[in-house]
Amino acid sequence: MQEGAPDPGLYDFTPYRGRRPFAWPNGGKVAVWVSPNLEYYEIDPPANPHRKAWTRPHPDVVGYAHRDHANRVGHWRMAEVMSKHGFPGSVSLSVALCQHHPEVVADANARGWEFFSHGIYNTRYSYGMDEAQERAIIEDSIRTVREATGQTIRGWLAPALTHTPRTLDLIAEYGLDYTCDLYHDDQPFPVRTRSGHLISMPYSLEVNDHYGFFIYNMSPREYARTLIAQFERLAAEPSGTVMCIPLHSYLIGQPHRIGAFEEVLRHIAADPRAWVTRSGDIADAWRAAHPEALA
């Protein structure tokens, strides 16, 4: 058999069964965090030779306008039901939103939501970037979010889930302490970089509303049942698990979908096995429970 590229050795293989059990704060069985993707899309972005920004020829008015619903309408509807049921957001932020629609960022900040970077625009990709360009995006993210919210970002989700081989090393070098870009586990896990360890924060593709509605073609009720099934299984397992609910408010914030989603929030909020929290708080609690893992 011909050998492929070597394993980069970012993390150890540790079978799920047999791990040391631990509990989240307040005796929680599953840490639940909601990740609203507050994004900005350009109607006619610069071309990237590795990936097209839109499926239609530019300008793609349909794709742009659908996503523009998020900041005009969907965010407010989504944020209100989250706050109503006690769910803070951990925001995957297109940092340019701080300039284009500062009202959305200010609203999330006033609700006590955490911010981490999702790049500058969700129509500009990491593919093909050199190191100087990637450093500029990280520096811009840190500076812009701090100026807009007073927060210092701790986490990273690559823009449109696009990466370079340097990404994890660079965000660790700049002092970030978790990445949402690995999707490889139901618990946090240490990731090796050139300048120490990051925490791999469980971020879900399977229960992401983009996958639910665009890939799996679920109805609102089917998506809600999927979220509840995900929660119930993770809450029944023996060790501290993580459930991430990634959202895009141009999808979940539509009038015909928000009611079913609110039922999910009501269900989880009423269950004492849930520790409803933010991604940074999960990183802190996991780090405190596993000091040896990041030594």
Side-chain angles (χ1 to χ4, degrees):
M1 180 184 296
Q2 185 177 5
E3 289 191 14
D7 187 307
L10 293 173
Y11 46 83
D12 295 330
F13 175 72
T14 305
Y16 189 45
R17 297 296 181 248
R19 296 179 185 176
R20 177 169 63 84
F22 72 99
W24 295 112
N26 305 319
K29 295 292 296 296
V30 54
V32 180
W33 67 290
V34 178
S35 185
N37 285 258
L38 302 188
E39 297 171 333
Y40 193 85
Y41 293 78
E42 301 157 287
I43 191 169
D44 195 11
N48 185 309
H50 302 280
R51 176 177 167 181
K52 290 181 63 177
W54 298 109
T55 56
R56 296 175 178 83
H58 297 186
D60 186 346
V61 175
V62 174
Y64 174 84
H66 188 196
R67 286 156 181 80
D68 196 34
H69 183 278
N71 297 318
R72 297 174 62 84
V73 180
H75 164 75
W76 311 94
R77 190 175 284 136
M78 174 191 69
E80 286 165 3
V81 300
M82 287 173 59
S83 294
K84 176 181 175 181
H85 295 283
F87 284 77
S90 301
V91 174
S92 170
L93 180 68
S94 292
V95 172
L97 196 68
C98 295
Q99 280 86 35
H100 288 282
H101 296 308
E103 300 88 347
V104 176
V105 176
D107 177 74
N109 198 36
R111 294 176 190 274
W113 293 8
E114 176 181 345
F115 295 87
F116 58 89
S117 180
H118 194 23
I120 309 302
Y121 292 96
N122 217 38
T123 38
R124 300 198 188 188
Y125 308 129
S126 299
Y127 298 145
M129 282 188 181
D130 61 30
E131 183 168 333
Q133 291 172 314
E134 197 165 11
R135 285 183 180 276
I137 287 176
I138 297 168
E139 292 169 5
D140 189 342
S141 295
I142 294 169
R143 180 180 61 253
T144 302
V145 174
R146 185 179 289 148
E147 290 174 353
T149 70
Q151 296 188 33
T152 299
I153 60 170
R154 299 177 54 187
W156 191 266
L157 180 67
L161 310 187
T162 63
H163 318 88
T164 78
R166 300 176 299 269
T167 302
L168 297 180
D169 287 328
L170 290 178
I171 64 172
E173 179 185 325
Y174 279 93
L176 280 68
D177 63 358
Y178 66 87
T179 173
C180 302
D181 275 316
L182 294 177
Y183 332 112
H184 66 153
D185 214 291
D186 290 330
Q187 295 179 312
F189 222 76
V191 178
R192 300 183 190 94
T193 74
R194 291 184 311 218
S195 54
H197 285 91
L198 291 168
I199 293 172
S200 174
M201 182 64 58
Y203 180 92
S204 180
L205 300 180
E206 285 290 316
V207 298
N208 190 310
D209 64 348
H210 174 86
Y211 275 69
F213 298 128
F214 275 177
I215 307 299
Y216 302 139
N217 297 314
M218 292 179 177
S219 71
R221 289 278 172 218
E222 288 170 332
Y223 181 61
R225 286 196 296 269
T226 298
L227 290 176
I228 290 173
Q230 181 94 342
F231 170 76
E232 289 294 334
R233 177 68 195 196
L234 291 172
E237 296 201 344
S239 192
T241 52
V242 175
M243 178 177 178
C244 178
I245 307 176
L247 300 175
H248 301 77
S249 60
Y250 71 92
L251 297 173
I252 204 65
Q254 295 290 342
H256 64 285
R257 291 181 177 135
I258 196 68
F261 178 63
E262 184 171 8
E263 291 178 14
V264 174
L265 298 182
R266 186 179 292 113
H267 178 94
I268 294 173
D271 194 314
R273 297 173 298 173
W275 178 42
V276 176
T277 188
R278 303 177 301 178
S279 50
D281 300 319
I282 295 171
D284 290 340
W286 188 87
R287 188 185 297 272
H290 300 82
E292 74 290 346
L294 299 172

